[in-house]
Amino acid sequence: MLNIRPGLCILALMLTLNAAVLRADEAALIQRGKYLTLIGGCNDCHTPGFPESGGSIPEDQWLTGVPLGWNGPWGTTYAVNLRLLLTSMTEERWLKFAHEIKARPPMPSWALNAMPEEDLRAIFKFVNKLGPGGSVMPPYTPPGDLPKTAYIEFVPKSPKP
Ligand code: HEC
């Protein structure tokens, strides 16, 4: 019994250290997710008032979706609520979804398609740390149908001669 104890103590210490390392890894991944969300421009379209405020919207309001339509030849799209979307998915489902997504403009699907798994996991962890929040955004409206919300006309215009 007496000579088992030191072994148990070492084991307990190793488990504690291991848990601490895992927590530190998780925290680093969440921080990276926040960084990628910022430089990936996700807030620019998916967070209400973000560009207008010079990026000073509090983190707990990030990525809740914007009910302002983007109207163009593709119809009218809305930057969805990523908080509700990502907290309703498993991490594995998100990886597949993000790699295969082909959304309508102006969503830069190619940015998500190009992200390595590690980066997508980081974004997933960050959004899940924020948790669900906000409400579901209006549905996509096909070309020709008038949007039921305020919208931005995303069509190039030539100067009048
Ligand atoms: C220029 C604006 C813009 C930027 C920047 C942007 N998005 Fe989007 N996003 C949209 C719009 C608009 C839609 C809806 C497209 C549609 O209806 O097909 C969308 C759709 C999505 C969807 C698909 C949701 C679904 O249910 O199909 C995901 C996931 C997504 N965005 C994640 C991101 C992430 C992550 C970033 C940052 C890397 C990002 N977006 C950057 C505008 C943007």
Side-chain angles (χ1 to χ4, degrees):
M1 189 63 186
L2 272 178
N3 40 4
I4 294 176
R5 265 203 197 131
L8 281 179
C9 284
I10 291 171
L11 184 67
L13 185 67
M14 277 167 64
L15 286 176
T16 311
L17 284 176
N18 203 22
V21 168
L22 281 180
R23 267 199 308 278
D25 281 356
E26 181 88 358
L29 214 53
I30 290 170
Q31 256 326 99
R32 181 159 178 80
K34 179 179 175 180
Y35 165 74
L36 288 167
T37 301
L38 262 182
I39 63 156
C42 317
N43 284 312
D44 305 0
C45 294
H46 288 269
T47 298
F50 197 85
E52 298 91 318
S53 72
S56 61
I57 300 292
E59 200 179 295
D60 63 356
Q61 290 164 36
W62 285 18
L63 308 176
T64 52
V66 178
L68 177 66
W70 293 94
N71 178 261
W74 56 85
T76 308
T77 51
Y78 296 87
V80 302
N81 183 328
L82 294 175
R83 299 269 291 273
L84 295 181
L85 181 71
L86 269 69
T87 53
S88 71
M89 280 185 182
T90 62
E91 194 167 327
E92 295 314 307
R93 169 95 187 89
W94 163 244
L95 292 181
K96 192 168 155 53
F97 186 84
H99 272 152
E100 292 176 355
I101 187 175
K102 297 274 174 280
R104 289 167 284 249
M107 168 61 201
S109 305
W110 48 88
L112 286 186
N113 299 162
M115 274 189 199
E117 204 178 292
E118 177 84 359
D119 288 355
L120 288 173
R121 284 193 197 280
I123 290 182
F124 183 85
K125 292 228 183 305
F126 172 61
V127 176
N128 271 274
K129 195 216 93 191
L130 294 177
S135 50
V136 175
M137 289 301 108
Y140 159 74
T141 317
D145 286 8
L146 213 58
K148 293 185 184 64
T149 65
Y151 62 92
I152 293 172
E153 217 178 346
F154 207 48
V155 180
K157 302 230 169 42
S158 303
K160 295 211 165 62

